[in-house]
Amino acid sequence: MPVHYWFPTCIYVEEMDSPMDVQSDMLSYFNKFGRNKSSLSIATGDNTGDYEIYKEPEFLWLNQEIFKHSCIYLESLGVDIETVKIYASKAWPVIMKKGSYVPKHRHQNATLSCVYYLQSDDNETGRLTLHASHSEMDFLPLKFTPNGSSYNKCFYPAVPGRLIIFPSTLNHEVEVYSGEKERYSLSYDLMVITKDSTNSNAEYVIHDPSKWIELQ
């Protein structure tokens, strides 16, 4: 093959089956969360003060699954997971109604971002769109039809039970959702930090917060 493919952007996708009781508890939490937000076309917990759902018992199973799959993802990138810790710094529910969307943005306050889809009745709309942060192909003075050699964005349908993990530096957005039933998803921001900076090269890594001091 004369074309070599370098500089990949790696996205992790896993289809998960939650236990029935866990799914029921998570759905109940969402129903309660959205009860006083019926006037909003999209309700996001990070905007309404509900961004620590990882502390709630309804999401213990999801916390464990996200940790497990984050480890698999990091290992695939060549990270020695024995040398790092993974923290959930924020986690919040998202409820989308028909006609709602999420504009392009990125989570520069985290290392990895995750989305888990709990409920959706229209998988063809409201897709997650991930944009390449930078591509040399963007600077070519040419007009071409994006393909496997030149695309700069990708799409993932919001399939219930699907977990997606990606670098938080990636710009992403959610297309307009057209389902009649509200779509439920959960977003997590993860921080990956070094376990022990005393016995390894500490450059370009995030130290354990327990070693920090507040400057006053």
Side-chain angles (χ1 to χ4, degrees):
M1 184 73 178
V3 178
H4 294 188
Y5 296 89
W6 293 100
F7 318 117
T9 299
C10 300
I11 313 299
Y12 185 91
V13 182
E14 180 66 28
E15 316 297 335
M16 304 193 305
D17 290 322
S18 61
M20 291 296 295
D21 58 331
V22 170
Q23 185 177 30
S24 177
D25 288 344
M26 289 192 292
L27 287 171
S28 295
Y29 187 97
F30 267 80
N31 292 334
K32 181 180 178 181
F33 169 73
R35 198 164 295 153
N36 299 322
K37 301 173 181 65
S38 58
S39 61
L40 301 176
S41 62
I42 178 170
T44 62
D46 57 338
N47 289 331
T48 60
D50 200 18
Y51 51 81
E52 295 183 340
I53 60 173
Y54 47 66
K55 296 180 179 179
E56 304 297 334
E58 292 91 337
F59 303 103
L60 176 61
W61 173 84
L62 187 57
N63 290 350
Q64 294 170 340
E65 290 297 306
I66 285 178
F67 172 73
K68 178 178 72 176
H69 291 288
S70 295
C71 287
I72 297 172
Y73 176 53
L74 291 170
E75 281 190 309
S76 75
L77 300 178
V79 176
D80 181 357
I81 61 170
E82 295 300 321
T83 66
V84 298
K85 294 180 181 180
I86 302 173
Y87 285 88
S89 57
K90 286 172 56 182
W92 62 96
V94 180
I95 298 179
M96 297 186 69
K97 293 184 179 179
K98 184 176 182 179
S100 63
Y101 66 96
V102 179
K104 186 163 70 172
H105 66 289
R106 60 188 175 92
H107 300 184
Q108 62 264 40
N109 57 334
T111 309
L112 301 178
S113 292
C114 312
V115 58
Y116 175 74
Y117 297 105
L118 181 61
Q119 170 181 288
S120 179
D121 70 345
D122 185 351
N123 299 338
E124 299 304 316
T125 66
R127 297 180 303 175
L128 174 67
T129 305
L130 299 170
H131 297 263
S133 299
H134 171 75
S135 171
E136 296 300 329
M137 309 304 290
D138 295 337
F139 299 99
L140 291 176
L142 301 171
K143 292 183 179 180
F144 49 80
T145 300
N147 57 31
S149 299
S150 59
Y151 62 84
N152 58 12
K153 60 183 176 181
C154 61
F155 309 90
Y156 287 97
V159 178
R162 173 170 288 175
L163 172 68
I164 301 176
I165 305 174
F166 55 93
S168 295
T169 51
L170 279 184
N171 278 310
H172 55 285
E173 62 183 306
V174 179
E175 298 175 330
V176 175
Y177 176 60
S178 299
E180 297 296 332
K181 189 177 182 179
E182 290 180 334
R183 196 185 82 182
Y184 293 168
S185 62
L186 300 101
S187 294
Y188 276 65
D189 278 345
L190 305 182
M191 295 295 294
V192 182
I193 67 170
T194 183
K195 272 186 180 178
D196 185 3
S197 60
T198 61
N199 298 321
S200 63
N201 190 333
E203 192 173 15
Y204 306 126
V205 295
I206 301 174
H207 300 279
D208 191 319
S210 66
K211 300 180 183 298
W212 299 4
I213 64 168
E214 181 181 359
L215 301 181
Q216 301 181 23

